[in-house]
Amino acid sequence: MSPEEEQTWRSIQSKDTQAFEYFYKQQFKFFYLAACKYLENTGAAQEVVNDVFLRLWQDADRLVIKSSLKSYLYRAVVNRCLNELDKSKRDRRQHIEAVRRMDDKVEWKEMEDNELKLRLYEAIDRLPEQCGKVFRISRFEGLRQQEIADRLGISIKTVKNHITLALQRLQKVLDDWHRTME
């Protein structure tokens, strides 16, 4: 370590804020450009350099620097950049894997939903003719029971009976479906 660096380092170790700020302002650009070469992201590079300097300030009383102060900081910045790149790579892999798992779940759920809908539509098609007609008008056209009765020329009680029968049969399809999914 040069005598000038040694003096700067001793001042930082003794928590001389002016010496630290001067050294930081004097050296920041050099380390920032080095970090930019690795990270290709100015915000991340600035954060890395600031974190390294902050660590230097916080841990100065415990650090033992045998080479030059500038070399020590350069190595710290490079190592921190490499850690950030590894973390970014891991984060990207985890994100891709999470998206893939999510897609698989969504795809599986869509397949299950489609299969259930298919079973329900088949069950509706197997209802007695008048019962199926009443149920379809009720559920797919959204008419009220009295409107259905008026349209088909049947009593409201008959409409209620048809809807009740249809719902009971569809409930059985749902129960069977849930048992197969467990």
Side-chain angles (χ1 to χ4, degrees):
M1 205 178 299
S2 72
E4 183 184 312
E5 265 194 338
E6 202 165 314
Q7 176 58 44
T8 301
W9 179 230
R10 271 194 247 111
S11 297
I12 291 171
Q13 283 182 308
S14 65
K15 300 297 183 191
D16 181 339
T17 53
Q18 284 182 331
F20 177 75
E21 286 177 18
Y22 177 77
F23 180 70
Y24 171 82
K25 288 176 183 174
Q26 188 182 29
Q27 299 298 321
F28 176 82
K29 189 173 183 179
F30 173 79
F31 294 115
Y32 170 74
L33 292 173
C36 282
K37 280 196 312 191
Y38 282 91
L39 299 177
E40 297 176 353
N41 177 323
T42 57
Q46 184 173 355
E47 191 174 320
V48 162
V49 173
N50 284 336
D51 286 349
V52 167
F53 270 96
L54 180 62
R55 280 271 168 122
L56 177 72
W57 176 254
Q58 291 172 336
D59 298 340
D61 57 337
R62 293 187 298 268
L63 289 176
V64 177
I65 299 176
K66 295 184 178 172
S67 62
S68 78
L69 181 57
K70 197 169 179 179
S71 295
Y72 174 86
L73 288 172
Y74 182 79
R75 178 55 36 209
V77 167
V78 168
N79 286 341
R80 185 70 192 278
C81 288
L82 295 175
N83 289 342
E84 286 296 313
L85 290 171
D86 285 346
K87 182 180 177 295
S88 295
K89 193 174 175 183
R90 264 192 323 276
D91 289 348
R92 272 195 304 278
R93 274 197 311 261
Q94 288 173 346
H95 177 72
I96 289 167
E97 181 62 24
V99 168
R100 188 192 60 76
R101 280 194 309 266
M102 186 81 88
D103 287 347
D104 289 350
K105 285 179 185 176
V106 168
E107 202 172 288
W108 182 256
K109 179 79 173 119
E110 286 174 0
M111 286 176 13
E112 286 177 344
D113 289 349
N114 289 341
E115 189 175 334
L116 177 58
K117 284 178 188 174
L118 181 64
R119 287 186 186 194
L120 289 171
Y121 283 121
E122 287 171 350
I124 292 168
D125 289 342
R126 287 192 305 268
L127 291 171
E129 186 179 339
Q130 187 72 354
C131 181
K133 183 184 268 187
V134 168
F135 185 77
R136 282 186 196 91
I137 293 171
S138 167
R139 294 306 188 259
F140 302 141
E141 293 181 35
L143 296 183
R144 286 181 269 146
Q145 292 176 352
Q146 185 61 57
E147 294 171 321
I148 297 168
D150 293 344
R151 181 193 278 187
L152 298 178
I154 57 177
S155 72
I156 193 164
K157 183 155 178 60
T158 302
V159 170
K160 287 180 183 181
N161 289 339
H162 283 310
I163 291 173
T164 300
L165 175 64
L167 289 174
Q168 287 171 345
R169 291 201 180 167
L170 293 176
Q171 184 62 51
K172 184 179 179 332
V173 169
L174 283 173
D175 291 343
D176 290 346
W177 168 256
H178 287 295
R179 272 195 294 282
T180 61
M181 295 310 292
E182 292 175 345

Short mmCIF file of all heavy atoms in Angstrom, two decimals, residues 65-92:
data_model
loop_
_atom_site.label_atom_id
_atom_site.label_comp_id
_atom_site.label_asym_id
_atom_site.label_seq_id
_atom_site.Cartn_x
_atom_site.Cartn_y
_atom_site.Cartn_z
N ILE A 65 -6.35 -5.21 5.30
CA ILE A 65 -6.05 -5.06 3.88
C ILE A 65 -4.54 -5.09 3.72
O ILE A 65 -3.84 -4.21 4.22
CB ILE A 65 -6.65 -3.76 3.32
CG1 ILE A 65 -8.16 -3.79 3.46
CG2 ILE A 65 -6.25 -3.58 1.86
CD1 ILE A 65 -8.88 -2.52 3.04
N LYS A 66 -4.07 -6.13 3.03
CA LYS A 66 -2.62 -6.29 2.86
C LYS A 66 -2.14 -5.71 1.54
O LYS A 66 -1.02 -5.26 1.43
CB LYS A 66 -2.26 -7.77 2.97
CG LYS A 66 -2.54 -8.30 4.36
CD LYS A 66 -2.12 -9.71 4.52
CE LYS A 66 -2.42 -10.12 5.96
NZ LYS A 66 -2.22 -11.48 6.23
N SER A 67 -3.00 -5.78 0.52
CA SER A 67 -2.62 -5.19 -0.77
C SER A 67 -2.99 -3.72 -0.73
O SER A 67 -3.19 -3.16 0.33
CB SER A 67 -3.36 -5.91 -1.90
OG SER A 67 -4.76 -5.74 -1.74
N SER A 68 -3.13 -3.12 -1.87
CA SER A 68 -3.54 -1.71 -1.88
C SER A 68 -5.04 -1.61 -1.61
O SER A 68 -5.81 -2.54 -1.88
CB SER A 68 -3.19 -1.07 -3.22
OG SER A 68 -4.12 -1.43 -4.22
N LEU A 69 -5.44 -0.49 -1.08
CA LEU A 69 -6.85 -0.24 -0.79
C LEU A 69 -7.67 -0.28 -2.07
O LEU A 69 -8.76 -0.87 -2.12
CB LEU A 69 -6.98 1.13 -0.10
CG LEU A 69 -8.38 1.58 0.31
CD1 LEU A 69 -9.03 0.56 1.24
CD2 LEU A 69 -8.31 2.94 0.99
N LYS A 70 -7.12 0.31 -3.12
CA LYS A 70 -7.82 0.34 -4.40
C LYS A 70 -7.98 -1.08 -4.97
O LYS A 70 -9.05 -1.43 -5.46
CB LYS A 70 -7.06 1.24 -5.38
CG LYS A 70 -7.86 1.67 -6.56
CD LYS A 70 -7.13 2.76 -7.32
CE LYS A 70 -7.93 3.18 -8.54
NZ LYS A 70 -7.28 4.24 -9.29
N SER A 71 -6.95 -1.90 -4.86
CA SER A 71 -7.04 -3.30 -5.33
C SER A 71 -8.07 -4.07 -4.53
O SER A 71 -8.84 -4.86 -5.08
CB SER A 71 -5.69 -4.01 -5.21
OG SER A 71 -4.75 -3.42 -6.05
N TYR A 72 -8.08 -3.84 -3.23
CA TYR A 72 -9.05 -4.51 -2.36
C TYR A 72 -10.48 -4.16 -2.79
O TYR A 72 -11.33 -5.03 -2.93
CB TYR A 72 -8.81 -4.13 -0.90
CG TYR A 72 -9.86 -4.68 0.02
CD1 TYR A 72 -9.75 -5.96 0.54
CD2 TYR A 72 -10.99 -3.93 0.35
CE1 TYR A 72 -10.73 -6.49 1.37
CE2 TYR A 72 -11.97 -4.45 1.17
CZ TYR A 72 -11.84 -5.72 1.68
OH TYR A 72 -12.82 -6.24 2.49
N LEU A 73 -10.71 -2.87 -2.98
CA LEU A 73 -12.06 -2.43 -3.37
C LEU A 73 -12.43 -2.93 -4.77
O LEU A 73 -13.58 -3.31 -5.01
CB LEU A 73 -12.14 -0.90 -3.31
CG LEU A 73 -12.16 -0.32 -1.90
CD1 LEU A 73 -12.04 1.20 -1.96
CD2 LEU A 73 -13.41 -0.74 -1.16
N TYR A 74 -11.47 -2.94 -5.68
CA TYR A 74 -11.73 -3.43 -7.03
C TYR A 74 -12.18 -4.89 -6.96
O TYR A 74 -13.16 -5.28 -7.58
CB TYR A 74 -10.50 -3.28 -7.92
CG TYR A 74 -10.74 -3.74 -9.33
CD1 TYR A 74 -11.42 -2.91 -10.24
CD2 TYR A 74 -10.32 -4.99 -9.76
CE1 TYR A 74 -11.66 -3.33 -11.54
CE2 TYR A 74 -10.55 -5.42 -11.07
CZ TYR A 74 -11.23 -4.59 -11.95
OH TYR A 74 -11.48 -5.01 -13.23
N ARG A 75 -11.45 -5.72 -6.20
CA ARG A 75 -11.79 -7.13 -6.05
C ARG A 75 -13.18 -7.27 -5.41
O ARG A 75 -13.98 -8.10 -5.82
CB ARG A 75 -10.71 -7.85 -5.24
CG ARG A 75 -10.93 -9.29 -4.95
CD ARG A 75 -11.17 -10.25 -6.09
NE ARG A 75 -10.49 -10.05 -7.32
CZ ARG A 75 -10.99 -10.42 -8.52
NH1 ARG A 75 -12.16 -10.98 -8.62
NH2 ARG A 75 -10.32 -10.22 -9.61
N ALA A 76 -13.47 -6.44 -4.42
CA ALA A 76 -14.77 -6.49 -3.75
C ALA A 76 -15.89 -6.13 -4.73
O ALA A 76 -16.95 -6.78 -4.74
CB ALA A 76 -14.79 -5.54 -2.55
N VAL A 77 -15.69 -5.14 -5.56
CA VAL A 77 -16.69 -4.73 -6.55
C VAL A 77 -16.90 -5.85 -7.57
O VAL A 77 -18.04 -6.21 -7.89
CB VAL A 77 -16.29 -3.40 -7.24
CG1 VAL A 77 -17.14 -3.15 -8.48
CG2 VAL A 77 -16.41 -2.24 -6.27
N VAL A 78 -15.80 -6.41 -8.07
CA VAL A 78 -15.91 -7.50 -9.06
C VAL A 78 -16.66 -8.70 -8.44
O VAL A 78 -17.56 -9.26 -9.06
CB VAL A 78 -14.52 -7.91 -9.59
CG1 VAL A 78 -14.59 -9.20 -10.38
CG2 VAL A 78 -13.94 -6.79 -10.44
N ASN A 79 -16.27 -9.08 -7.24
CA ASN A 79 -16.94 -10.22 -6.59
C ASN A 79 -18.43 -9.95 -6.39
O ASN A 79 -19.27 -10.82 -6.61
CB ASN A 79 -16.29 -10.54 -5.24
CG ASN A 79 -14.95 -11.21 -5.40
OD1 ASN A 79 -14.64 -11.77 -6.45
ND2 ASN A 79 -14.14 -11.16 -4.36
N ARG A 80 -18.72 -8.74 -5.99
CA ARG A 80 -20.14 -8.38 -5.78
C ARG A 80 -20.89 -8.40 -7.10
O ARG A 80 -22.03 -8.85 -7.18
CB ARG A 80 -20.20 -7.01 -5.13
CG ARG A 80 -21.57 -6.57 -4.76
CD ARG A 80 -22.11 -7.40 -3.57
NE ARG A 80 -23.52 -7.13 -3.42
CZ ARG A 80 -24.01 -6.08 -2.79
NH1 ARG A 80 -23.20 -5.24 -2.20
NH2 ARG A 80 -25.29 -5.89 -2.75
N CYS A 81 -20.26 -7.95 -8.17
CA CYS A 81 -20.89 -8.00 -9.50
C CYS A 81 -21.15 -9.45 -9.91
O CYS A 81 -22.23 -9.77 -10.42
CB CYS A 81 -20.00 -7.33 -10.55
SG CYS A 81 -19.95 -5.53 -10.42
N LEU A 82 -20.18 -10.30 -9.71
CA LEU A 82 -20.34 -11.72 -10.05
C LEU A 82 -21.47 -12.35 -9.23
O LEU A 82 -22.26 -13.14 -9.76
CB LEU A 82 -19.02 -12.48 -9.86
CG LEU A 82 -17.89 -12.06 -10.80
CD1 LEU A 82 -16.59 -12.78 -10.43
CD2 LEU A 82 -18.26 -12.30 -12.26
N ASN A 83 -21.55 -11.99 -7.97
CA ASN A 83 -22.65 -12.49 -7.13
C ASN A 83 -24.00 -12.02 -7.66
O ASN A 83 -24.98 -12.78 -7.68
CB ASN A 83 -22.48 -12.05 -5.67
CG ASN A 83 -21.34 -12.77 -4.98
OD1 ASN A 83 -20.88 -13.80 -5.44
ND2 ASN A 83 -20.88 -12.20 -3.89
N GLU A 84 -24.05 -10.75 -8.07
CA GLU A 84 -25.30 -10.21 -8.62
C GLU A 84 -25.68 -10.93 -9.91
O GLU A 84 -26.86 -11.23 -10.13
CB GLU A 84 -25.17 -8.71 -8.90
CG GLU A 84 -25.19 -7.84 -7.66
CD GLU A 84 -26.51 -7.92 -6.91
OE1 GLU A 84 -27.58 -7.82 -7.54
OE2 GLU A 84 -26.46 -8.11 -5.68
N LEU A 85 -24.70 -11.20 -10.75
CA LEU A 85 -24.98 -11.92 -11.99
C LEU A 85 -25.49 -13.33 -11.70
O LEU A 85 -26.45 -13.79 -12.33
CB LEU A 85 -23.73 -11.97 -12.88
CG LEU A 85 -23.31 -10.64 -13.49
CD1 LEU A 85 -21.95 -10.76 -14.16
CD2 LEU A 85 -24.36 -10.13 -14.46
N ASP A 86 -24.87 -14.01 -10.74
CA ASP A 86 -25.33 -15.35 -10.35
C ASP A 86 -26.75 -15.28 -9.80
O ASP A 86 -27.60 -16.11 -10.12
CB ASP A 86 -24.41 -15.97 -9.28
CG ASP A 86 -23.10 -16.46 -9.85
OD1 ASP A 86 -23.00 -16.58 -11.09
OD2 ASP A 86 -22.17 -16.71 -9.05
N LYS A 87 -27.01 -14.27 -8.98
CA LYS A 87 -28.34 -14.12 -8.39
C LYS A 87 -29.37 -13.85 -9.48
O LYS A 87 -30.46 -14.42 -9.48
CB LYS A 87 -28.34 -12.98 -7.37
CG LYS A 87 -29.66 -12.76 -6.67
CD LYS A 87 -29.56 -11.60 -5.69
CE LYS A 87 -30.87 -11.31 -5.02
NZ LYS A 87 -31.91 -10.84 -5.90
N SER A 88 -29.03 -12.99 -10.44
CA SER A 88 -29.94 -12.69 -11.54
C SER A 88 -30.23 -13.93 -12.36
O SER A 88 -31.37 -14.19 -12.75
CB SER A 88 -29.36 -11.62 -12.45
OG SER A 88 -29.23 -10.41 -11.79
N LYS A 89 -29.18 -14.70 -12.61
CA LYS A 89 -29.34 -15.93 -13.37
C LYS A 89 -30.26 -16.90 -12.63
O LYS A 89 -31.16 -17.50 -13.22
CB LYS A 89 -27.95 -16.55 -13.60
CG LYS A 89 -27.89 -17.63 -14.62
CD LYS A 89 -26.42 -18.03 -14.81
CE LYS A 89 -26.26 -19.19 -15.73
NZ LYS A 89 -24.86 -19.58 -15.84
N ARG A 90 -30.02 -17.05 -11.31
CA ARG A 90 -30.87 -17.92 -10.48
C ARG A 90 -32.31 -17.42 -10.48
O ARG A 90 -33.26 -18.20 -10.61
CB ARG A 90 -30.35 -17.96 -9.05
CG ARG A 90 -29.46 -19.11 -8.72
CD ARG A 90 -29.22 -19.25 -7.21
NE ARG A 90 -29.09 -18.01 -6.46
CZ ARG A 90 -27.96 -17.32 -6.32
NH1 ARG A 90 -26.86 -17.72 -6.89
NH2 ARG A 90 -27.95 -16.22 -5.61
N ASP A 91 -32.47 -16.11 -10.31
CA ASP A 91 -33.81 -15.53 -10.29
C ASP A 91 -34.54 -15.78 -11.60
O ASP A 91 -35.73 -16.10 -11.61
CB ASP A 91 -33.75 -14.02 -10.00
CG ASP A 91 -33.36 -13.71 -8.57
OD1 ASP A 91 -33.34 -14.64 -7.73
OD2 ASP A 91 -33.06 -12.54 -8.30
N ARG A 92 -33.83 -15.62 -12.73
CA ARG A 92 -34.44 -15.87 -14.04
C ARG A 92 -34.86 -17.33 -14.16
O ARG A 92 -35.95 -17.62 -14.63
CB ARG A 92 -33.48 -15.50 -15.17
CG ARG A 92 -33.56 -14.06 -15.59
CD ARG A 92 -32.88 -13.81 -16.93
NE ARG A 92 -31.50 -14.20 -17.00
CZ ARG A 92 -30.48 -13.48 -16.56
NH1 ARG A 92 -30.70 -12.32 -16.00
NH2 ARG A 92 -29.24 -13.91 -16.66
#
